Amino acid sequence: MAVRSAQCSNSGVTGTGTSGGASARPDEGTPVGRRIVLGMLGLGAAGVAVGAAVQERVDRALSPINRFLPVGGGFRYYSVVDRVEPRDAGDYTLTVSGRVRDRRTFTLADLRALPQTRIIRDFQCVTGWRVPKVPWAGVALPDLLDAVGASPAARAVRFRSFDGAYTESLTMAQARRRDVLIATDMLDGPVSHDHGGPVRLFVAPMYGYKSLKWLDGIEVGDKVVPGYWEERGYDIDAWVGRSNGRDDEPT
Amino acid sequence: MSRPGPRRQGRRGGRTILRFTRSERAVHHAVALLMIICLVTAACLYVPAIAAAVGRRELIKTIHVIAGFGLPVPILAGRLFAAFRADLRRLNRFRDEDWEWLRRRDRRAVIDGTGAIPVGKFNAGQKLNAAFVAGAVLVMLGTGAMLTFPGPFPDAWRTGATFVHDWLTLAVLVVFLGHLRYALRDRGAMAGMWDGHVDLPWAARHHPAWLSEQAATREPALRERAPREAAPEATEERGVPGP
């Protein structure tokens, strides 16, 4: 090591003799390495500046296949726990309790027997990715609340996931919107386990984390309780484009 | 990992030359380890099938972020060592023979046991790889910091940072696999990184200008390993013109 540093500090600077191109004087030649690094930094900064627009175009260009590409649009899988035990469509139940006239437990067949609502909306994640025009189907939450006779005086609705950790809340006004679904289908098929099936919440006008996965409990009450993500700093009223410091186009 | 045959005899009972000091190898291995952790955890966060199988998002994310912020540390620490600094200078500079090396298809041609192009300690491909890794680490660090601490940044920038971070990951993966492939098919190069020393015939074939430069400084790094019958011998494995 000592030898090499001596060679670099002395002969590297002074020796400009005739020894031909083969000698390794480290300070000779074009600093291409540095230029590449600086060029990449420039490209990176430019990418940060225009990336949002480019990604949108990439998503659109790839839209038939982007669900299968890691880069590009498509859903990304988020689970907050080690492992979620899959629940079979056959023995799935959803319990609705709290300030209701009839506390009820719904099977998947019960849910399908209620009036069905189908909507096509974008799914926007708070981390930036967006899946355009996702078809969703299931029971509109106001229809379910009517089916159990939710108290008109109640002010909030709470959702629980059978993953054991994920919870969410909506105000009663939000829960009464017709674009809030107890979704049994998405992407023209049953909600898969990875997407939070057999039954998940879909809150169309809000960021994805409000659309609780693996739904198995709904409680009508008076208090909006911060959910899993909200305890980690995300907004409780998660309107797309009007919360979490983001200005995405509303879904 | 382990070199075949007992060390004392050298690979061909020949002499060897020091290519990478202990500090340089430590920097390499630390960077490699952190890079692998980053790539594996990235796959767990990012590829839907793997993410679904692994779960534990918070934990994986924490590991990814720590490994990512740790990546520059060994490189900065390496700058404390003269040998590492000298190699950075070599990697930075492109000279005529580097352009020639990039241009020619027979860039690995060997004549009488000596590489035809007077390649120094690093060939142009190695220089490009080093520059790419340096640039990529910095860009990933910058965009990664924006994603980890999104507070002060406007939304469009955060989306842009996600975009850059995602796509550059693919480029890093490709270059990483290429680097691994070149290393795995050249035992001489592997030996240089694992044990620090390379055989003289290997050095003559791949880095002739570096070898003669070392010889000119009175063979400081040359090391006797066995009876000296073994003069640089004719090339066997890799003496043919390259791809």
Side-chain angles (χ1 to χ4, degrees):
Chain A
M1 192 158 63
V3 171
R4 198 167 308 153
S5 63
Q7 177 245 324
C8 291
S9 55
N10 302 328
S11 58
V13 180
T14 56
T16 49
T18 55
S19 54
S23 77
R25 273 188 284 282
D27 291 332
E28 227 173 56
T30 329
V32 171
R34 185 185 308 150
R35 287 175 195 170
I36 291 175
V37 171
L38 292 176
M40 287 179 71
L41 285 174
L43 278 177
V48 169
V50 303
V54 177
Q55 179 74 58
E56 217 166 275
R57 232 162 295 150
V58 170
D59 287 349
R60 220 169 301 141
L62 298 178
S63 64
I65 51 167
N66 64 4
R67 276 166 204 157
F68 310 104
L69 282 180
V71 173
F75 284 91
R76 300 184 188 188
Y77 176 90
Y78 293 164
S79 168
V80 298
V81 296
D82 294 0
R83 181 181 149 70
V84 184
E85 197 60 48
R87 207 162 281 192
D88 200 59
D91 40 73
Y92 169 84
T93 57
L94 169 66
T95 304
V96 186
S97 59
R99 298 189 59 182
V100 295
R101 194 183 53 237
D102 312 309
R103 183 184 201 279
R104 265 186 73 181
T105 297
F106 294 86
T107 64
L108 205 54
D110 296 336
L111 288 173
R112 290 194 194 281
L114 290 171
Q116 298 291 298
T117 300
R118 191 182 142 82
I119 55 177
I120 296 180
R121 299 290 277 275
D122 293 2
F123 188 88
Q124 171 78 50
C125 178
V126 73
T127 59
W129 54 272
R130 182 177 184 122
V131 185
K133 301 198 182 63
V134 182
W136 300 87
V139 182
L141 186 52
D143 293 341
L144 186 79
L145 293 174
D146 289 342
V148 294
S151 158
R155 287 204 288 267
V157 182
R158 237 190 130 191
F159 305 89
R160 202 179 56 232
S161 166
F162 61 78
D163 75 353
Y166 197 176
T167 55
E168 266 305 335
S169 283
L170 293 172
T171 66
M172 187 52 84
Q174 292 163 358
R176 284 276 174 196
R177 290 177 62 112
R178 299 226 39 102
D179 55 1
V180 177
L181 292 194
I182 306 303
T184 51
D185 294 87
M186 69 182 278
L187 302 168
D188 300 315
V191 179
S192 69
H193 174 72
D194 288 351
H195 284 307
V199 175
R200 72 176 294 175
L201 186 64
F202 176 58
V203 184
M206 295 197 179
Y207 285 108
Y209 63 89
K210 292 300 281 193
S211 294
L212 176 132
K213 295 164 79 171
W214 305 295
L215 175 70
D216 80 336
I218 298 179
E219 193 186 331
V220 178
D222 288 324
K223 238 174 72 192
V224 169
V225 183
Y228 180 87
W229 292 107
E230 285 117 38
E231 279 176 1
R232 284 155 184 78
Y234 292 94
D235 290 349
I236 297 178
D237 293 324
W239 305 108
V240 173
R242 285 188 281 132
S243 65
N244 294 296
R246 297 181 59 95
D247 59 356
D248 307 283
E249 202 181 311
T251 41
Chain B
M1 244 144 272
S2 62
R3 311 221 297 121
R7 240 185 98 125
R8 218 150 281 289
Q9 291 168 6
R11 284 250 311 281
R12 289 183 207 84
R15 301 197 308 168
T16 62
I17 180 172
L18 179 67
R19 182 158 169 79
F20 294 116
T21 65
R22 183 170 304 216
S23 56
E24 287 174 295
R25 282 176 280 144
V27 170
H28 174 272
H29 301 337
V31 169
L33 182 69
L34 291 169
M35 187 67 92
I36 289 169
I37 293 174
C38 281
L39 286 171
V40 169
T41 50
C44 296
L45 294 170
Y46 194 74
V47 180
I50 302 176
V54 175
R56 295 166 216 238
R57 199 169 179 82
E58 275 298 309
L59 173 68
I60 304 281
K61 184 192 128 189
T62 306
I63 297 172
H64 184 78
V65 167
I66 291 173
F69 284 123
L71 252 180
V73 173
I75 301 172
L76 292 175
R79 296 185 67 101
L80 296 173
F81 297 91
F84 185 78
R85 289 198 302 273
D87 278 358
L88 284 188
R89 281 194 290 272
R90 293 171 190 269
L91 287 165
N92 181 25
R93 297 285 171 168
F94 270 57
R95 294 178 313 192
D96 293 344
E97 58 267 27
D98 291 309
W99 301 114
E100 192 186 350
W101 191 93
L102 288 175
R103 238 184 352 255
R104 279 171 57 166
R105 292 183 62 83
D106 60 345
R107 57 180 70 93
R108 294 182 207 278
V110 172
I111 300 166
D112 291 338
T114 301
I117 301 179
V119 174
K121 185 166 182 181
F122 301 105
N123 67 40
Q126 292 166 326
K127 292 179 181 184
L128 288 178
N129 177 66
F132 173 82
V133 170
V137 165
L138 289 174
V139 172
M140 292 307 257
L141 192 71
T143 52
M146 289 176 70
L147 298 174
T148 313
F149 309 106
F153 303 106
D155 170 55
W157 288 24
R158 280 148 64 180
T159 310
T162 311
F163 171 79
V164 173
H165 208 79
D166 286 4
W167 283 97
L168 189 52
T169 301
L170 287 191
V172 168
L173 181 67
V174 168
V175 172
F176 171 81
L177 292 176
H179 179 68
L180 210 60
R181 175 162 168 262
Y182 279 111
L184 287 173
R185 69 182 197 183
D186 187 342
R187 302 176 88 122
M190 284 287 264
M193 192 43 85
W194 284 115
D195 135 321
H197 292 79
V198 292
D199 295 340
L200 290 188
W202 181 89
R205 289 196 304 275
H206 293 277
H207 302 279
W210 172 62
L211 184 59
S212 43
E213 160 210 325
Q214 295 293 310
T217 50
R218 270 178 262 132
E219 310 200 357
L222 294 186
R223 191 165 79 177
E224 207 66 47
R225 273 210 169 163
R228 65 189 59 191
E229 27 52 66
E233 51 197 86
T235 65
E236 338 123 23
E237 336 143 42
R238 209 155 292 284
V240 287

